[in-house]
Amino acid sequence: MKIKPIQSLLIVAVLFSSCKDKPQQEEKQDLPVKNVLLENYKGPYQGVPAFDKMEVSMVKPAITEGIKMHLAELDAIANNKEAPSFENTIIPYEKSGAALDRAFTYYGIFSSNMSSDKFREIQKELAPIISDYSSKIAQNEALFKRIKQVYDNAKQNPLPAEEQRTLQLIYEYFAMNGANLSEADKQKYAAINKELSKLYTTFSNNVLADEENYVVYLTKKQLGGLPESFVKSAAQIATEKGKEGSYAITNTRSSMDPFLTYSTERELRQKVWENYYARGDNNDEYDNNQIIKKILQLRDKRVALLGYDNYAEWRLQNRMAKNPENAMQLMEKVWPAALARVKEEVADMQAIADKEGANITIAPWDYRFYAEKVRKAKYDLDSEEVKQYLELGNLTQALFFTAGELFNYNFTPVKDGSVPVFQEDVNVWEVTDKTSGDLVGLWYLDPYARTGKRSGAWATTYRDRTKLTGNKPVLSSNNSNFIKPAPGEPVLVSWDDATTFFHEFGHALHFLSSDVKYPTLNGGVRDYTEFQSQLLERWLSTDEVIHKFLRHHETNEVIPAALVEKIKKAATFNQGFATTEFLASALMDMKYHTMSDKELEMLDPKKYEKETLAALGMPKEIVMRHRTPHFGHVFSGEGYATGYYGYLWADVLTADAAEAFAEAPDGFYDKALAKKLVDYLFAPRNAMDPAEAYKKFRGREATTDALMRDRGFAPKK
């Protein structure tokens, strides 16, 4: 089960916006219990998940049996009478847990893509069991003693680079998770983890409940301003929910965002806005405020056992930022410029509202609506016009083209029915090397929003590739929440959604291009793993992609050059809003995790959020991108806890690397630079220190100058 932080096991498929760095491997094992979720993958491509045979009833027995099997494997390593070595301790550790890994793959699908009331009950039952299992690994004294001896020996006689880094990461994981504690403190540590696991599950299920329970149904008279494609989709969703003749606005970002952008019904905009931003904050059985307080207190109590002053100090020690102060310094450098831009944006919006005689003061539910009017007025850019050239099928081909140019990959649809899928809308492609024809892996795409599927967009793997486990084909996936169109209608997306599509595909390419020896090295550093995906966003606006794939969904005409020019001129438009709503969430994340015990004891999250944002100068027209009661990145698990700033940290690298491509002889398709991109930034995964890897690519460290230019907060070169 490799070098997984305890928390990642508790949220196997609930890592938001991104990427689940979960090593996968397959080893032949004798299975005591017949359960398809534990079995080796079978069929083509050296085996694929049996998504067509999985059932919710199989989940709990698979996880519990898989846990027993993995713990037995680890005990065998720990009880080995031979002197500890890399070969007899670390290698079997890396190979262990294969059956459980497979079970967690199916668990992740049920959790993120196909959740149900029945599965959520199973989640609650499994949470403490998984927590106990994680603690048993981290607190296996005999196992850690062997690992530590190998680690100490390697300090005197260093191993080859990949072995040394693998050993370093494994040792750090155990040390950071209580392996050096006294027996009494280990028991306390394990008890805290068990309680946290229950709270994480409850938090995420509460948010999902509020997303499902708050739906706004419209009549024909209430459709003013809404695009035809959106109206047709809303009608389809209402019909599926038993409200034929109505139009459903679901409580997810994919539905909320376009409604707030285009609807002329201000009272309804307010209602939809309030529903969305009140998720987990409705003073009912699904309210998350007290859960948040408990989570923060337990996290601090746990790291105090390890000698840390606060959770952020513990969490950031092996991230690029190294400590909370460095992360805060970066955010505070950008924050004033973002606030200044918001004032300009609001003034522009208020001027239009006044000119139209609206007799209003811009409120949060007005921001998107009037920002769109400003976009049209300033840049003559109509987002709905742009969407006519952003058809999902063409965008998918644009992803494949980009991967072909940079990675030399070819994508071919698999034969219908040859690879099982968990839902009829999921499609699968075979990925091969264009030159050799060698198989790289498979790419699964689950594109549409539906009941039981968590909101947002993310990437994951069903099997990673490592030399140790046979270099089997990578099984990667992307998951989106586009609104499924009415039959026969195209899927037209916004520029922002198209950018996100490229972003998540960047994660998939990171998985597919992996070239490492050991499963641990397929992990990642949280404030670095978003860099590669953020960088891939830049290829959406390259001339090659624009001319080949941004075509009108009816006429097939290439998007007009004049419209492209408008898009590029408007590239920094609304950056005040985008940067401020993100940074507000990132700053709150860090502030929550650097509070003192006394402050936590007195904490009222709703009050603290309001007062802290006011002290930061948060504009009243904007809210956090993820308000505290539904901040799943941070409170559904620990994947992004004190790590949400990482998107900005990664964007520093992104902006700097993008300038490197812009200045290259052949621009974004420069072959020499693309090779360095793959060799240093994608293929090594975590086999190389991120800072060292970036310097090998760029020839120097990144600076914030490019970021400030990129966001329009500083003059261009």
Side-chain angles (χ1 to χ4, degrees):
M1 191 60 68
K2 294 357 109 237
I3 183 89
K4 289 183 204 151
I6 286 173
Q7 62 270 15
S8 70
L9 291 171
L10 308 179
I11 54 163
V12 172
V14 194
L15 292 181
F16 282 68
S17 257
S18 138
C19 131
K20 183 183 72 182
D21 294 317
K22 174 181 173 301
Q24 291 280 345
Q25 67 279 304
E26 294 187 60
E27 294 292 320
K28 290 187 177 180
Q29 294 169 303
D30 294 325
L31 304 181
V33 177
K34 176 74 172 176
N35 189 313
V36 72
L37 308 194
L38 289 167
E39 292 176 357
N40 283 320
Y41 294 161
K42 299 174 183 176
Y45 306 104
Q46 298 187 50
V48 291
F51 290 134
D52 55 337
K53 296 179 181 177
M54 68 182 194
E55 296 176 8
V56 174
S57 60
M58 299 175 178
V59 173
K60 187 175 180 181
I63 297 295
T64 53
E65 186 60 38
I67 284 173
K68 289 178 186 176
M69 294 167 65
H70 189 215
L71 291 177
E73 292 172 328
L74 295 178
D75 282 341
I77 299 169
N79 296 326
N80 189 338
K81 301 304 182 183
E82 297 176 3
S85 67
F86 192 91
E87 289 71 22
N88 68 23
T89 302
I90 304 304
I91 286 180
Y93 174 84
E94 287 287 89
K95 288 183 175 181
S96 68
L100 182 57
D101 276 338
R102 292 189 291 271
F104 269 126
T105 288
Y106 296 103
Y107 177 100
I109 295 297
F110 282 119
S111 175
S112 291
N113 301 71
M114 300 180 66
S115 187
S116 63
D117 290 340
K118 184 177 180 181
F119 176 75
R120 289 170 211 168
E121 287 304 312
I122 292 171
Q123 266 187 310
K124 290 178 183 178
E125 294 169 10
L126 281 174
I129 294 172
I130 296 171
S131 177
D132 277 344
Y133 152 73
S134 302
S135 295
K136 285 176 182 176
I137 295 176
Q139 298 180 8
N140 187 324
E141 190 171 345
L143 177 62
F144 179 62
K145 186 176 180 180
R146 290 183 67 86
I147 291 170
K148 188 175 188 305
Q149 188 167 338
V150 177
Y151 175 76
D152 289 341
N153 291 343
K155 284 196 291 187
Q156 300 299 320
N157 299 291
L159 300 168
E162 281 194 277
E163 283 76 8
Q164 190 74 26
R165 184 157 178 82
T166 300
L167 178 59
Q168 175 74 28
L169 293 171
I170 291 173
Y171 176 81
E172 283 181 359
Y173 160 68
F174 276 86
M176 283 182 65
N177 286 284
N180 285 314
L181 292 175
S182 68
E183 190 57 37
D185 282 346
K186 282 181 180 179
Q187 295 304 313
K188 294 177 185 177
Y189 197 98
I192 291 170
N193 277 333
K194 181 180 284 191
E195 183 62 23
L196 281 170
S197 73
K198 297 175 185 177
L199 294 172
Y200 297 153
T201 301
T202 301
F203 182 97
S204 59
N205 285 340
N206 283 349
V207 175
L208 190 54
D210 274 358
E211 289 179 351
E212 294 178 353
N213 293 338
Y214 287 82
V215 180
V216 176
Y217 292 99
L218 310 180
T219 65
K220 272 193 175 182
K221 293 181 179 179
Q222 297 174 314
L223 301 176
L226 297 176
E228 183 181 358
S229 59
F230 183 85
V231 170
K232 288 179 178 177
S233 295
Q236 179 78 9
I237 294 169
T239 298
E240 291 171 358
K241 292 181 177 291
K243 298 277 190 178
E244 190 166 359
S246 296
Y247 304 83
I249 310 302
T250 58
N251 201 22
T252 61
R253 183 171 290 274
S254 61
S255 193
M256 172 277 296
D257 201 282
F259 184 81
L260 294 185
T261 301
Y262 297 111
S263 175
T264 56
E265 301 284 338
R266 190 172 191 243
E267 288 185 8
L268 284 174
R269 290 205 308 268
Q270 181 175 353
K271 185 175 182 180
V272 169
W273 182 92
E274 289 175 343
N275 282 351
Y276 185 78
Y277 287 102
R279 291 172 300 150
D281 191 24
N282 288 300
N283 298 312
D284 58 12
E285 61 181 308
Y286 302 118
D287 194 279
N288 274 330
N289 283 287
Q290 285 306 304
I291 291 173
I292 290 160
K293 180 176 179 177
K294 290 178 184 176
I295 287 173
L296 291 169
Q297 288 178 315
L298 286 170
R299 284 176 177 171
D300 262 20
K301 187 176 179 182
R302 191 183 72 197
V303 301
L305 292 171
L306 300 171
Y308 294 92
D309 290 337
N310 57 58
Y311 181 85
E313 183 183 279
W314 170 80
R315 178 72 280 172
L316 296 186
Q317 61 184 294
N318 61 355
R319 302 285 171 88
M320 288 191 79
K322 301 301 182 188
N323 57 60
E325 292 75 24
N326 288 341
M328 286 294 291
Q329 185 178 17
L330 172 62
M331 291 189 283
E332 289 171 349
K333 182 173 184 177
V334 179
W335 181 249
L339 294 184
R341 179 59 58 83
V342 168
K343 287 184 179 179
E344 297 172 5
E345 292 172 1
V346 172
D348 288 341
M349 291 187 286
Q350 190 65 55
I352 287 182
D354 293 345
K355 185 177 180 181
E356 293 180 348
N359 195 29
I360 64 165
T361 298
I362 298 296
W365 44 89
D366 298 316
Y367 209 108
R368 291 169 176 84
F369 182 73
Y370 281 98
E372 183 61 20
K373 287 177 176 285
V374 172
R375 190 199 310 267
K376 290 179 183 178
K378 269 196 167 187
Y379 303 99
D380 191 25
L381 182 60
D382 182 343
S383 293
E384 189 59 22
E385 181 186 2
V386 174
K387 284 175 69 173
Q388 306 310 304
Y389 298 91
L390 297 174
E391 189 271 326
L392 184 59
N394 285 340
L395 286 171
T396 304
Q397 294 303 313
L399 299 181
F400 298 162
F401 168 78
T402 303
E405 293 297 304
L406 299 179
F407 293 79
N408 204 42
Y409 290 163
N410 188 56
F411 286 72
T412 307
V414 301
K415 183 180 177 182
D416 287 347
S418 63
V419 173
V421 295
F422 50 83
Q423 207 274 342
E424 61 182 5
D425 294 321
V426 177
N427 291 302
V428 188
W429 284 261
E430 180 183 292
V431 187
T432 56
D433 183 272
K434 287 167 65 176
T435 303
S436 67
D438 292 344
L439 178 66
V440 176
L442 296 180
W443 182 66
Y444 296 69
L445 175 63
D446 182 12
Y448 302 129
R450 59 179 173 270
T451 301
K453 184 179 181 182
R454 68 177 174 88
S455 61
W458 67 97
T460 188
T461 52
Y462 310 139
R463 181 174 64 213
D464 289 327
R465 176 177 54 237
T466 69
K467 297 181 181 73
L468 183 67
T469 54
N471 270 336
K472 293 187 178 182
V474 176
L475 304 178
S476 64
S477 81
N478 280 134
N479 306 267
S480 301
N481 267 280
F482 301 118
I483 298 175
K484 189 174 181 178
E489 295 293 325
V491 182
L492 304 178
V493 307
S494 69
W495 187 265
D496 284 347
D497 283 343
T499 300
T500 299
F501 198 37
F502 266 72
H503 174 104
E504 295 303 333
F505 189 63
H507 285 305
L509 289 174
H510 207 179
F511 302 143
L512 289 163
S513 61
S514 172
D515 183 18
V516 300
K517 191 171 182 179
Y518 300 104
T520 285
L521 303 179
N522 261 320
V525 179
R526 181 59 63 193
D527 51 6
Y528 180 65
T529 54
E530 292 299 329
F531 157 52
Q532 289 83 353
S533 51
Q534 288 180 190
L535 182 59
L536 201 80
E537 296 173 13
R538 305 306 176 103
W539 273 264
L540 172 62
S541 57
T542 59
D543 290 342
E544 288 82 350
V545 167
I546 287 170
H547 294 146
K548 289 177 182 290
F549 303 104
L550 303 197
R551 293 174 174 270
H552 197 281
H553 68 98
E554 291 178 336
T555 67
N556 201 39
E557 292 180 2
V558 176
I559 187 170
L563 185 54
V564 172
E565 188 61 27
K566 291 176 186 178
I567 292 171
K568 290 184 175 180
K569 283 184 177 179
T572 59
F573 172 75
N574 223 29
Q575 273 299 313
F577 173 83
T579 306
T580 300
E581 67 158 8
F582 159 76
L583 272 179
S585 293
L587 286 163
M588 288 300 300
D589 172 29
M590 198 63 67
K591 286 181 176 293
Y592 276 126
H593 288 98
T594 51
M595 296 176 76
S596 67
D597 291 344
K598 185 176 181 181
E599 288 172 323
L600 283 173
E601 184 63 36
M602 303 295 292
L603 177 65
D604 175 346
K606 186 180 294 190
K607 182 181 178 184
Y608 182 76
E609 176 187 292
K610 184 177 180 180
E611 291 178 349
T612 304
L613 290 175
L616 286 168
M618 182 74 170
K620 67 182 186 303
E621 300 87 358
I622 298 180
V623 292
M624 297 164 63
R625 181 173 178 82
H626 305 286
R627 281 199 58 236
T628 306
H630 51 256
F631 202 170
H633 288 76
V634 172
F635 297 112
S636 281
E638 298 183 38
Y640 280 89
T642 71
Y644 198 64
Y645 78 91
Y647 285 98
L648 183 65
W649 193 278
D651 219 14
V652 170
L653 303 177
T654 299
D656 192 65
E659 287 194 352
F661 272 101
E663 295 163 359
D666 292 316
F668 279 80
Y669 296 89
D670 188 89
K671 294 299 182 184
L673 195 56
K675 186 177 187 308
K676 292 175 72 175
L677 175 82
V678 176
D679 289 350
Y680 298 130
L681 303 183
F682 277 78
R685 299 288 285 156
N686 200 16
M688 191 181 298
D689 177 77
E692 178 188 346
Y694 189 81
K695 279 191 280 188
K696 283 180 177 292
F697 165 77
R698 192 68 163 107
R700 59 166 175 75
E701 294 181 348
T703 69
T704 59
D705 298 347
L707 173 74
M708 299 300 278
R709 288 191 290 270
D710 198 52
R711 299 199 174 200
F713 298 157
K716 294 287 184 183
K717 279 186 176 179

